[in-house]
Protein backbone atom coordinates (compact mmCIF):
# COMPACT_ATOMS: atom_id res chain seq x y z
CA UNK A 1 0.00 0.00 0.00
CA UNK A 2 1.19 3.54 -0.71
CA UNK A 3 2.06 6.02 2.03
CA UNK A 4 2.58 9.75 1.83
CA UNK A 5 5.01 10.99 4.48
CA UNK A 6 6.15 14.61 4.76
CA UNK A 7 9.09 16.14 6.66
CA UNK A 8 8.81 19.65 8.08
CA UNK A 9 10.76 22.05 10.28
CA UNK A 10 12.51 25.42 10.43
CA UNK A 11 15.66 26.27 8.49
CA UNK A 12 18.62 24.15 9.64
CA UNK A 13 16.52 21.69 11.67
CA UNK A 14 18.23 18.80 9.85
CA UNK A 15 15.19 17.41 7.99
CA UNK A 16 16.92 17.24 4.59
CA UNK A 17 19.82 15.18 5.97
CA UNK A 18 17.33 13.03 7.88
CA UNK A 19 14.98 12.37 4.95
CA UNK A 20 17.93 11.06 2.93
CA UNK A 21 19.16 8.81 5.75
CA UNK A 22 15.66 7.46 6.39
CA UNK A 23 15.07 6.84 2.65
CA UNK A 24 18.28 4.80 2.55
CA UNK A 25 17.23 2.76 5.59
CA UNK A 26 13.77 2.04 4.17
CA UNK A 27 15.26 1.03 0.81
CA UNK A 28 17.64 -1.34 2.61
CA UNK A 29 14.49 -2.97 4.04
CA UNK A 30 13.17 -3.43 0.48
CA UNK A 31 10.57 -0.67 0.55
CA UNK A 32 10.04 1.19 -2.71
CA UNK A 33 10.69 4.81 -1.80
CA UNK A 34 10.19 7.96 -3.83
CA UNK A 35 12.15 10.86 -2.34
CA UNK A 36 11.06 14.32 -3.39
CA UNK A 37 10.92 17.91 -2.13
CA UNK A 38 9.07 21.22 -2.25
CA UNK A 39 9.32 23.71 -3.69
CA UNK A 40 10.51 21.65 -6.65
CA UNK A 41 10.54 17.93 -7.31
CA UNK A 42 10.05 18.20 -11.10
CA UNK A 43 11.47 20.51 -13.81
CA UNK A 44 8.64 23.08 -13.87
CA UNK A 45 8.46 23.32 -10.07
CA UNK A 46 12.27 23.50 -9.88
CA UNK A 47 12.15 26.58 -12.11
CA UNK A 48 9.62 28.15 -9.74
CA UNK A 49 11.91 27.21 -6.80
CA UNK A 50 14.74 29.23 -8.33
CA UNK A 51 12.54 32.35 -8.38
CA UNK A 52 11.22 31.75 -4.85
CA UNK A 53 14.59 31.26 -3.15
CA UNK A 54 16.74 33.73 -5.09
CA UNK A 55 18.20 36.13 -2.52
CA UNK A 56 18.05 38.94 -5.09
CA UNK A 57 14.24 38.73 -5.23
CA UNK A 58 13.82 40.94 -2.16
CA UNK A 59 10.92 42.81 -3.80
CA UNK A 60 8.64 39.73 -3.86
CA UNK A 61 5.34 40.47 -2.10
CA UNK A 62 3.76 37.79 0.15
CA UNK A 63 0.88 37.20 -2.29
CA UNK A 64 3.28 36.42 -5.15
CA UNK A 65 5.17 34.08 -2.84
CA UNK A 66 1.98 32.22 -1.84
CA UNK A 67 0.82 31.84 -5.45
CA UNK A 68 4.21 30.58 -6.61
CA UNK A 69 4.33 27.93 -3.87
CA UNK A 70 0.83 26.84 -4.88
CA UNK A 71 1.79 26.75 -8.57
CA UNK A 72 4.89 24.65 -7.88
CA UNK A 73 2.85 22.30 -5.69
CA UNK A 74 0.08 21.77 -8.26
CA UNK A 75 2.64 20.64 -10.82
CA UNK A 76 4.55 18.48 -8.33
CA UNK A 77 1.43 16.72 -7.04
CA UNK A 78 0.15 15.98 -10.55
CA UNK A 79 3.47 15.00 -12.11
CA UNK A 80 5.28 13.19 -9.28
CA UNK A 81 3.35 12.54 -6.06
CA UNK A 82 0.04 11.15 -7.36
CA UNK A 83 1.69 8.80 -9.89
CA UNK A 84 4.12 7.53 -7.21
CA UNK A 85 1.25 6.85 -4.79
CA UNK A 86 -0.69 5.13 -7.57
CA UNK A 87 2.37 2.88 -8.07
CA UNK A 88 2.18 1.94 -4.35
CA UNK A 89 5.37 3.71 -3.36
CA UNK A 90 6.29 5.25 -0.03
CA UNK A 91 6.59 8.93 -0.92
CA UNK A 92 8.91 10.91 1.37
CA UNK A 93 8.48 14.62 0.69
CA UNK A 94 10.77 17.33 2.13
CA UNK A 95 8.14 20.01 2.99
CA UNK A 96 4.53 20.19 1.79
CA UNK A 97 1.33 22.09 2.64
CA UNK A 98 2.19 22.57 6.33
CA UNK A 99 5.16 24.71 5.24
CA UNK A 100 2.74 27.10 3.53
CA UNK A 101 0.66 27.40 6.71
CA UNK A 102 3.79 27.95 8.84
CA UNK A 103 5.67 30.36 6.53
CA UNK A 104 3.00 32.19 4.52
CA UNK A 105 0.17 31.89 7.07
CA UNK A 106 1.77 32.19 10.52
CA UNK A 107 4.99 34.07 9.70
CA UNK A 108 3.96 36.29 6.76
CA UNK A 109 0.50 36.77 8.26
CA UNK A 110 -1.50 35.91 5.12
CA UNK A 111 -5.12 34.90 5.63
CA UNK A 112 -5.18 31.25 6.72
CA UNK A 113 -8.43 30.55 4.83
CA UNK A 114 -6.75 31.77 1.66
CA UNK A 115 -3.74 29.54 2.35
CA UNK A 116 -6.08 26.62 2.95
CA UNK A 117 -8.01 27.32 -0.25
CA UNK A 118 -4.84 27.48 -2.37
CA UNK A 119 -3.43 24.35 -0.74
CA UNK A 120 -6.63 22.48 -1.62
CA UNK A 121 -6.53 23.76 -5.18
CA UNK A 122 -2.89 22.70 -5.59
CA UNK A 123 -3.26 19.26 -4.00
CA UNK A 124 -6.78 18.33 -5.08
CA UNK A 125 -7.35 17.45 -1.41
CA UNK A 126 -4.30 15.22 -0.95
CA UNK A 127 -3.25 15.20 2.74
CA UNK A 128 -0.10 13.50 4.10
CA UNK A 129 -0.64 10.24 5.99
CA UNK A 130 2.16 11.08 8.42
CA UNK A 131 4.15 14.28 9.06
CA UNK A 132 7.55 14.24 10.77
CA UNK A 133 8.23 17.62 12.41
CA UNK A 134 11.95 17.91 13.14
CA UNK A 135 11.85 20.54 15.86
CA UNK A 136 14.73 22.65 17.12
CA UNK A 137 15.23 26.13 18.60
CA UNK A 138 15.66 28.91 16.05
CA UNK A 139 19.13 29.84 17.37
CA UNK A 140 20.42 26.33 16.60
CA UNK A 141 18.65 25.95 13.24
CA UNK A 142 19.68 29.33 11.85
CA UNK A 143 23.26 28.81 13.01
CA UNK A 144 23.40 25.54 11.04
CA UNK A 145 21.67 27.04 7.97
CA UNK A 146 24.09 30.00 7.85
CA UNK A 147 27.13 27.72 8.20
CA UNK A 148 25.80 25.60 5.31
CA UNK A 149 25.31 28.68 3.10
CA UNK A 150 28.80 30.00 3.92
CA UNK A 151 30.41 26.74 2.79
CA UNK A 152 28.20 26.23 -0.30
CA UNK A 153 29.17 27.15 -3.86
CA UNK A 154 25.71 26.39 -5.33
CA UNK A 155 22.89 28.85 -6.19
CA UNK A 156 22.14 31.48 -3.52
CA UNK A 157 18.96 29.90 -2.11
CA UNK A 158 18.92 32.07 0.99
CA UNK A 159 16.00 34.50 0.72
CA UNK A 160 14.35 32.99 3.81
CA UNK A 161 17.54 32.68 5.88
CA UNK A 162 17.84 36.48 5.60
CA UNK A 163 14.54 37.00 7.44
CA UNK A 164 14.62 38.36 11.03
CA UNK A 165 14.77 36.03 14.03
CA UNK A 166 11.16 36.89 14.86
CA UNK A 167 10.03 35.49 11.48
CA UNK A 168 11.64 32.12 12.23
CA UNK A 169 10.20 32.11 15.75
CA UNK A 170 6.76 32.48 14.17
CA UNK A 171 7.46 29.66 11.72
CA UNK A 172 8.44 27.36 14.58
CA UNK A 173 5.43 28.38 16.68
CA UNK A 174 3.21 27.82 13.63
CA UNK A 175 4.53 24.30 13.11
CA UNK A 176 4.04 23.44 16.79
CA UNK A 177 0.48 24.74 16.62
CA UNK A 178 -0.23 22.64 13.51
CA UNK A 179 1.18 19.58 15.30
CA UNK A 180 -1.00 20.25 18.35
CA UNK A 181 -4.08 20.56 16.13
CA UNK A 182 -3.33 17.37 14.14
CA UNK A 183 -1.91 14.94 16.71
CA UNK A 184 -2.87 11.86 14.70
CA UNK A 185 -0.85 12.95 11.71
CA UNK A 186 2.16 14.73 13.30
CA UNK A 187 5.15 13.24 15.14
CA UNK A 188 7.48 15.76 16.78
CA UNK A 189 11.14 14.69 16.77
CA UNK A 190 13.88 16.46 18.78
CA UNK A 191 16.24 17.81 16.10
CA UNK A 192 18.93 18.77 18.63
CA UNK A 193 19.79 15.12 19.39
CA UNK A 194 22.82 13.49 17.68
CA UNK A 195 22.21 12.74 14.00
CA UNK A 196 22.00 8.93 14.45
CA UNK A 197 19.50 9.26 17.28
CA UNK A 198 17.28 11.54 15.21
CA UNK A 199 17.36 9.07 12.29
CA UNK A 200 16.50 6.17 14.62
CA UNK A 201 13.58 8.09 16.16
CA UNK A 202 12.13 8.98 12.74
CA UNK A 203 12.65 5.47 11.41
CA UNK A 204 10.84 4.05 14.41
CA UNK A 205 7.87 6.36 13.93
CA UNK A 206 7.61 5.49 10.24
CA UNK A 207 7.96 1.76 10.89
CA UNK A 208 5.24 1.88 13.53
CA UNK A 209 3.00 3.75 11.12
CA UNK A 210 3.66 1.36 8.23
CA UNK A 211 3.11 -1.72 10.39
CA UNK A 212 -0.19 -0.50 11.74
CA UNK A 213 -1.52 0.81 8.42
CA UNK A 214 -0.15 -1.49 5.77
CA UNK A 215 0.22 -4.74 7.70
P1 LIG B 1 14.11 24.13 2.03
O1 LIG B 1 15.03 25.05 2.77
O2 LIG B 1 13.53 23.05 2.87
O3 LIG B 1 14.66 23.65 0.72
O4 LIG B 1 12.80 25.01 1.68
C1 LIG B 1 12.89 26.13 0.91
C2 LIG B 1 12.32 27.35 1.58
O5 LIG B 1 10.96 27.53 1.16
C3 LIG B 1 12.31 27.33 3.09
O6 LIG B 1 12.81 28.57 3.53
C4 LIG B 1 10.84 27.25 3.45
C5 LIG B 1 10.14 27.86 2.27
N1 LIG B 1 8.77 27.36 2.00
C6 LIG B 1 7.70 28.22 2.19
O7 LIG B 1 7.88 29.34 2.63
N2 LIG B 1 6.45 27.75 1.89
C7 LIG B 1 6.22 26.51 1.36
O8 LIG B 1 5.06 26.15 1.10
C8 LIG B 1 7.36 25.63 1.16
C9 LIG B 1 7.14 24.27 0.58
C10 LIG B 1 8.61 26.09 1.48
Amino acid sequence: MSSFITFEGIEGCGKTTQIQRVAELLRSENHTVQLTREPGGCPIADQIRTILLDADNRAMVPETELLLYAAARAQHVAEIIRPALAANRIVLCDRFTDATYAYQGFARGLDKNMVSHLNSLATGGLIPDLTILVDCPVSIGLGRAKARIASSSGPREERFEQEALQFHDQVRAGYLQLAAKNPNRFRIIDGTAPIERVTAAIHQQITTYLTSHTG
Side-chain angles (χ1 to χ4, degrees), residues 11 15 38-39 49 53 69 73 95 99-100 103-104 160:
E11 316 297 320
K15 69 182 167 39
E38 290 208 347
R49 177 185 176 95
L53 303 188
Y69 278 112
R73 181 163 301 134
R95 297 197 189 280
T100 318
Y103 283 80
Q104 282 66 51
F160 282 86

Side-chain angles (χ1 to χ4, degrees), residues 74-179:
Q75 188 67 32
H76 183 221
V77 167
E79 200 177 320
I80 303 293
I81 299 180
R82 284 203 187 272
L85 293 174
N88 278 334
R89 299 201 170 143
I90 296 175
V91 176
L92 300 183
C93 188
D94 189 342
R95 297 197 189 280
F96 196 59
T97 42
D98 295 302
T100 318
Y101 284 111
Y103 283 80
Q104 282 66 51
F106 285 91
R108 291 269 188 250
L110 288 174
D111 178 49
K112 296 202 180 67
N113 290 327
M114 180 61 72
V115 171
S116 170
H117 185 67
L118 284 172
N119 274 344
S120 303
L121 178 70
T123 62
L126 180 68
I127 295 171
D129 297 307
L130 186 69
T131 297
I132 303 293
L133 175 57
V134 183
D135 181 52
C136 83
V138 168
S139 54
I140 295 179
L142 275 191
R144 287 178 185 161
K146 285 186 175 153
R148 185 190 60 219
I149 287 166
S151 66
S152 152
S153 55
R156 289 182 57 226
E157 289 191 338
E158 55 189 76
R159 197 168 62 85
F160 282 86
E161 283 79 358
Q162 292 174 344
E163 290 288 343
L165 266 184
Q166 191 200 0
F167 177 88
H168 297 284
D169 277 330
Q170 283 166 339
V171 172
R172 184 184 185 205
Y175 272 131
L176 290 171
Q177 228 184 88
L178 288 165

